[in-house]
């Protein structure tokens, strides 16, 4: 029996719907599942402002009208953040009247009971539009065979307890954004200026409401060319106003965090970074994060190093940047400094120490409780990968206007990552920026460290500049009484001289390094110097005929030095340089005629490099190809050369900068 009162309250759609087939299929599947297992037919459609939640819900519900013939109920719960209990009563009073109740009870609880009684046995659809709070709509949820859809710009996880399945709408891609723009403005006008149309649609950020409002603006002025003010998107104004209202209604802690998000130089945020940015303890940042997530002002990002990350939805980026610009300059600078020195520098120090355990920093970072939890080498690399764009932005873009102390400290911490994972011309630029920052700060130890690092990065053709850098650095370290760093600088001088094809001077420098570093308690650098000495001794062998006494003596010296280097670097927990020293040792063992030991050393070394240090593999393969030639194994030599070439092509294809840091 069909009820006497059949309300049809759903409003007509305001904007066309495009590209929501997958989401509609998902809801259809969950609707069928809910019917089959007897769960309530309740669904939540969420997404950022302007993404088309209401249009999507109306389209889906209208498609289902034949399956729910007993009517439609609708309530627009706009301004949900300021919703009052009496608003729920008004909705219920209107609904029970529409369902045929002869009188309306006074109290909300009585109204709720009457509403659910009237809905019993009916198959209806109910749309609760623009909901702002879970509690405000629970009295409006009916049971039985009726279908309820809730649209909200907030995440309402508590509704899962009420049997609701949630689907989140994403912005449109460029193709479907153009389709929607043409549907409102007209295909001919879009076809006449396709490039300008794409610019306008791109400026709308894939938001259907912005696309439609902007198209309507142009439609109202039929002679206005699309190229007129193409970077101004009228449709975003309404959405930005909505976001501004959401931000204004935030609790103080969430608002404080949001207005500082525009200070962040990256696009992916860890909880520790957000805590530093907000100036609170790590444990105290969770409530404002939760609030921003609920309001769609923050979104979950990709997982990283065993933890969570967050991103800004595209539609929120401009309002966040504008909010940051509106901060007083002193407050903005303080937030930037807290983020850089309270999160980035301490966490980069922790990550760099994992990548290179034996490394000493010129200037120690202050410890911080907000550093990300990193517990192994893969996690350290993943952190650098995740934060790399932000780190290089701080160094290369924010250097002049930001925190200069953070610039040179971060360049110092990035060294191991650059050396092991990626490099290129930008690394030299970064070190020059770090050197300028250290000079401006007047920190002599930091200046010396930037000078030594820069010297190692300069090409052989710039050896004069590199040696000048090292001379100044050594002088600064000795003036400060830092004999250890001065000895390390002597090692770097040997590297530069070797690269400049001055082997005798390089060997002389490295011979001075070994006893000095051992005396000063820095065996790792002594090991590096011994490896370089062994390499220079092997280079001399190439000019002599095998078999004479000098050849045998020099080969044995190289083997002794390389073996000692390998032992020292292994003990110092430097697996990368220990593996490279093993290759030098293998070459020396082959020169001494000990082929079996040479074979074992190369096998172990390349295994370590392939597993843990892939960026070093192409150069190692070049060395192994020469080693295989000396072994009389041209097939293996060719295999190593093919592997090196393939890896370099792959790096070039992926856009990974090459070179050695």
């Amino acid at each position: 029996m069909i009820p006497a009162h059949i309300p049809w309250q759903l409003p007509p759609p305001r904007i066309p719907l495009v590209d929501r087939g997958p989401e509609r299929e998902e809801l259809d599947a969950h609707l069928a599942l809910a019917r089959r297992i007897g769960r309530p037919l309740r669904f939540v459609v969420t997404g950022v402002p302007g993404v088309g939640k209401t249009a999507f819900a109306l389209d889906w519900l209208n498609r289902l009208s034949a399956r729910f013939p007993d009517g439609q109920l609708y309530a627009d719960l706009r301004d949900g953040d300021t919703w009052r209990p009496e608003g729920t009563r008004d909705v219920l009073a209107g609904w029970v009247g529409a369902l045929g109740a002869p009188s309306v009870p006074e109290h909300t609880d009585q109204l709720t009971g009457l509403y659910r009684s009237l809905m019993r046995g009916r198959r209806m659809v109910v749309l609760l539009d623009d909901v702002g709070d879970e509690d405000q709509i629970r009295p409006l949820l009916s049971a039985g065979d009726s279908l309820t859809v809730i649209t909200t710009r907030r995440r309402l996880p508590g509704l899962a307890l009420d049997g609701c399945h949630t689907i989140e709408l994403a912005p449109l891609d460029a193709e479907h954004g153009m389709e929607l723009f043409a549907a409102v403005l007209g295909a001919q006008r879009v076809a006449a200026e396709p490039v300008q149309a794409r610019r306008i649609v791109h400026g709308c950020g894939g938001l259907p409401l912005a696309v439609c409002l902007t198209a309507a603006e142009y439609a109202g002025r039929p002679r206005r060319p699309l190229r007129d003010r193409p970077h101004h998107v009228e449709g975003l104004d309404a959405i930005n106003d909505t976001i501004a209202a959401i931000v204004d209604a935030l609790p103080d802690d969430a608002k404080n965090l949001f207005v500082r998000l525009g200070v962040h130089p990256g696009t992916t945020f860890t909880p520790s970074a957000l805590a530093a940015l907000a100036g609170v303890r790590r444990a105290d940042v969770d409530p404002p994060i939760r609030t921003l997530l609920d309001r769609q002002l923050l979104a979950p990002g990709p997982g990283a190093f065993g933890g969570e990350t967050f991103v800004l939805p595209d539609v929120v980026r401009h309002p966040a940047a504008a909010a940051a610009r509106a901060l007083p300059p002193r407050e903005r600078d303080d937030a930037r400094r807290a983020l850089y020195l309270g999160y980035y520098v301490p966490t980069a120090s922790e990550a760099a120490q994992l990548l290179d355990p034996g490394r000493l920093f010129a200037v120690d970072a202050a410890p911080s409780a907000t550093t990300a939890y990193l517990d192994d080498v893969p996690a350290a690399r993943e952190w650098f990968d995740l934060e790399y764009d932000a780190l290089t932005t701080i160094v290369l873009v924010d250097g002049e206007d930001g925190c200069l102390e953070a610039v040179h400290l971060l360049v110092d911490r990035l060294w191991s990552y650059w050396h092991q994972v990626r490099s290129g011309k930008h690394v030299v630029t970064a070190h020059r920026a770090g050197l300028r920052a250290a000079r401006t700060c007047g920190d002599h130890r930091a200046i010396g460290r930037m000078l030594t690092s820069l010297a190692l990065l300069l090409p052989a053709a710039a050896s004069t500049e590199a040696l000048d850098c090292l001379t100044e650095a050594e002088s600064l370290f000795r003036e400060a009484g830092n004999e250890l760093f001065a000895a390390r600088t002597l090692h770097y001088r040997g590297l530069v001289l070797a690269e400049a094809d001055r082997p005798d001077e390089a060997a002389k420098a490295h011979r001075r390094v070994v006893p000095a570093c051992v005396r000063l308690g820095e065996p790792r650098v002594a090991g590096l110097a011994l490896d370089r000495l062994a390499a220079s001794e092997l280079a001399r062998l190439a000019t002599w005929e095998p078999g004479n006494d000098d050849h045998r003596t020099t080969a044995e010296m190289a083997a002794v030095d390389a073996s000692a280097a390998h032992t020292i670097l292994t003990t110092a927990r430097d697996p990368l340089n220990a593996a490279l020293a093993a290759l030098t040792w293998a070459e020396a063992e082959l020169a001494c005629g000990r082929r079996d030991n040479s074979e074992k050393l190369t096998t172990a070394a390349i295994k370590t490099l392939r597993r843990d240090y892939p960026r070093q593999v192409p150069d190692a393969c070049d060395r192994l190809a020469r080693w295989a030639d000396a072994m009389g194994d041209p097939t293996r030599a060719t295999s190593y050369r093919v592997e090196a070439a393939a890896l370099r092509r792959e790096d070039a294809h992926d856009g990974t900068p090459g070179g050695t840091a």
Side-chain angles (χ1 to χ4, degrees):
M1 177 178 177
I2 299 176
H5 294 82
I6 304 180
W8 295 91
Q9 296 183 354
L10 291 187
R14 293 182 59 204
I15 63 176
L17 189 76
V18 299
D19 185 37
R20 294 304 186 194
E23 293 89 343
R24 192 163 51 240
E25 291 174 4
E26 179 182 339
L27 288 187
D28 287 341
H30 279 278
L31 177 60
L33 176 64
R35 282 184 178 279
R36 190 164 61 250
I37 65 177
R39 285 181 61 83
L41 310 182
R42 297 171 182 167
F43 298 88
V44 177
V45 180
T46 185
V48 297
V51 81
K53 300 178 290 293
T54 302
F56 171 71
L58 288 171
D59 177 83
W60 188 56
L61 292 176
N62 284 325
R63 289 170 184 266
L64 297 173
S65 59
R67 296 163 62 180
F68 296 90
D70 297 336
Q72 304 167 342
L73 295 175
Y74 174 78
D76 182 357
L77 306 179
R78 209 170 300 279
D79 297 327
D81 284 314
T82 58
W83 187 266
R84 297 182 304 277
E86 57 264 30
T88 301
R89 185 194 179 284
D90 292 342
V91 171
L92 285 169
W95 281 0
V96 298
L99 292 170
S103 61
V104 177
E106 181 68 25
H107 298 294
T108 300
D109 289 345
Q110 295 173 324
L111 265 174
T112 300
L114 177 59
Y115 164 63
R116 289 171 178 165
S117 298
L118 292 170
M119 291 291 287
R120 182 176 176 82
R122 302 191 191 218
R123 289 179 296 161
M124 301 183 66
V125 298
V126 179
L127 178 56
L128 301 171
D129 197 18
D130 210 350
V131 169
D133 183 78
E134 296 165 358
D135 292 335
Q136 70 180 239
I137 62 166
R138 285 201 168 96
L140 306 177
L141 298 178
S142 65
D145 295 328
S146 291
L147 168 63
T148 301
V149 174
I150 299 157
T151 71
T152 175
R153 65 179 66 131
R154 297 173 61 178
R155 292 184 177 88
L156 302 176
L159 290 179
L161 300 176
D162 300 284
C164 294
H165 173 76
T166 297
I167 184 170
E168 183 167 340
L169 298 184
L172 301 175
D173 59 24
E175 177 185 352
H176 291 97
M178 285 288 287
E179 180 183 340
L180 180 59
F181 192 62
V184 178
L185 182 59
Q188 285 186 329
R189 197 163 168 191
V190 170
E193 296 183 80
V195 174
Q196 300 299 333
R198 286 190 179 278
R199 286 187 182 179
I200 293 171
V201 169
H202 176 74
C204 291
L207 299 173
L209 180 59
V211 172
C212 290
L213 290 176
T214 303
E217 177 75 16
Y218 280 97
R221 298 171 62 180
R223 297 190 181 280
R224 179 186 181 185
L226 299 186
R227 66 178 178 274
D228 182 17
R229 301 172 70 190
H231 299 296
H232 177 68
V233 182
E234 289 86 346
L236 282 178
D237 293 343
I239 294 173
N240 287 337
D241 290 344
T242 299
I243 293 172
I246 295 172
V247 173
D248 285 342
L250 289 173
D252 289 343
D253 59 349
K255 185 185 295 185
N256 173 65
L257 177 56
F258 179 80
V259 299
R260 285 161 175 74
L261 285 173
V263 173
H264 198 291
T267 56
T268 305
F269 320 128
T270 66
S272 296
L274 296 179
L277 193 60
V280 299
R281 297 179 304 166
R282 170 64 183 83
D284 295 333
V285 80
D286 284 338
I289 287 176
R290 203 158 45 239
T291 300
L292 296 183
L293 286 171
D294 287 346
R295 267 65 165 186
Q296 300 278 3
L297 298 174
L298 203 61
F305 38 86
E308 62 181 342
T309 63
F310 306 98
V311 296
L312 281 174
D314 288 341
V315 68
V316 177
R317 293 184 188 280
H318 176 73
R325 287 194 298 270
L327 285 170
R330 177 67 178 273
E331 192 173 344
R332 189 167 58 246
D333 290 343
D334 287 346
R336 182 183 289 113
R337 184 177 181 84
L339 176 65
Y340 293 179
L341 296 179
Y343 171 70
Y344 276 112
V345 172
T347 313
S349 299
E350 186 178 344
Q353 206 73 68
L354 284 166
L355 293 183
D356 199 348
R359 191 157 178 266
L360 299 176
F361 298 126
V363 180
D364 293 330
S368 172
T370 64
T371 54
Y373 180 69
L374 305 175
D375 55 7
D376 56 23
V377 170
R381 286 185 183 153
E382 190 177 358
W383 183 83
F384 273 123
D385 289 340
L386 176 77
E387 299 283 13
Y388 191 71
D389 288 344
L391 292 167
T392 51
T393 297
I394 294 170
V395 171
L396 298 175
V397 179
D398 291 351
E400 298 302 324
D401 300 325
C403 176
L404 291 174
E405 183 181 357
V407 172
H408 69 76
L409 289 173
L410 287 175
V411 172
D412 193 38
R413 273 61 177 171
L414 276 161
W415 171 265
S416 297
Y417 178 73
W418 278 325
H419 182 53
Q420 296 180 17
V421 181
R422 66 168 87 191
S423 188
K425 293 180 180 178
H426 68 289
V427 180
V428 174
T429 305
H431 276 78
R432 293 194 186 280
L435 178 57
R436 287 195 301 272
R439 290 192 190 281
T440 303
C441 292
D443 189 323
H444 286 190
R445 291 181 68 194
I447 295 170
R449 187 54 167 258
M450 291 297 99
L451 286 166
T452 56
S453 299
L454 177 60
L456 293 178
L457 294 169
L458 293 171
S463 60
T464 300
E465 180 186 356
L467 292 171
D468 288 343
C469 287
L470 293 172
T471 298
E472 182 184 355
E474 184 178 1
S475 175
L476 288 171
F477 290 140
R478 293 199 186 282
E479 286 176 10
N482 194 328
E483 293 299 317
L484 177 56
F485 274 81
R488 290 161 67 95
T489 302
L490 187 60
H491 167 59
Y492 303 144
R493 178 177 294 276
L495 295 178
V496 171
L497 289 167
E499 187 72 17
D501 198 22
R502 295 159 65 177
D504 293 340
E505 295 173 79
K508 182 178 178 181
H510 282 129
R511 287 193 188 96
R512 291 174 56 199
V513 169
V514 176
C517 285
V518 170
R519 175 174 56 82
L520 293 167
E522 177 57 22
R524 176 177 170 273
V525 176
L528 294 173
L530 284 168
D531 177 58
R532 293 299 85 211
L533 278 173
S536 66
E537 288 155 358
L538 289 171
R540 282 196 293 157
L541 291 180
T543 64
W544 297 342
E545 288 294 328
N548 64 46
D549 290 341
D550 286 341
H551 187 282
R552 284 191 296 270
T553 301
T554 303
E556 290 293 348
M557 287 174 56
V560 169
D561 287 342
S563 172
H566 180 265
T567 300
I568 291 171
L569 293 168
T570 300
T571 303
R573 296 188 301 136
D574 187 347
L576 169 58
N577 284 304
L580 296 176
L583 292 179
T584 307
W585 188 10
E587 295 167 4
E589 288 291 284
L590 182 58
C592 293
R594 296 188 282 269
R595 297 169 65 92
D596 289 346
N597 195 39
S598 181
E599 181 90 42
K600 290 178 184 177
L601 289 166
T602 58
T603 300
I606 193 62
K607 180 180 179 181
T608 298
L609 294 173
R610 283 175 176 150
R611 183 188 64 222
D612 298 328
Y613 305 100
R615 200 174 83 65
Q616 308 297 327
V617 172
D619 288 344
C621 284
D622 290 339
R623 294 179 64 178
L624 287 168
R626 294 190 294 271
W627 169 85
D629 283 334
M631 287 280 284
D633 190 345
T635 301
R636 202 188 318 186
T638 299
S639 175
Y640 283 129
R641 290 189 175 97
V642 169
E643 181 180 356
L647 289 172
R648 289 189 174 105
R649 282 197 301 272
E650 184 179 327
D651 282 349
H653 177 72
D654 291 342
T656 303
T660 301

